Amino acid sequence: FMRGTVTIETEAFLGAGAVLFPNVTLRKGSVAGAGVIIVKTTDEWGIYVGSKCTKLSERQVVSHEAD
């Protein structure tokens, strides 16, 4: 049994069945795909897939400011 904190920053989200280990941060805008196992902190706006947590690419930065 492991204890620690998990932090999910703004604009980040998890797919179904994704697992984050203790003391991991899902950084701003990051995406963890379905079933991914994340054992270390992600990069901002990164897209992570697969059971070995491979960084697939990066997302475009989202801006919510009025035009």
Side-chain angles (χ1 to χ4, degrees), residues 44-66:
E44 286 190 2
W45 301 100
I47 300 172
Y48 296 86
V49 296
S51 60
K52 293 186 180 184
C53 191
T54 303
K55 184 175 180 182
L56 180 65
S57 65
E58 291 190 1
R59 296 175 58 198
Q60 292 183 3
V61 176
V62 175
S63 175
H64 295 288
E65 296 178 19

Side-chain angles (χ1 to χ4, degrees), residues 3-29:
R3 291 180 185 242
T5 59
V6 170
T7 304
I8 301 173
E9 295 182 353
T10 60
E11 309 288 340
F13 60 93
L14 299 169
V19 176
L20 274 67
F21 271 48
N23 303 314
V24 165
T25 299
L26 193 61
R27 300 288 308 273
K28 182 177 182 176

Side-chain angles (χ1 to χ4, degrees), residues 29-44:
S30 292
V31 176
V36 72
I37 299 172
I38 298 183
V39 297
K40 63 180 185 176
T41 296
T42 63
D43 296 333
E44 286 190 2

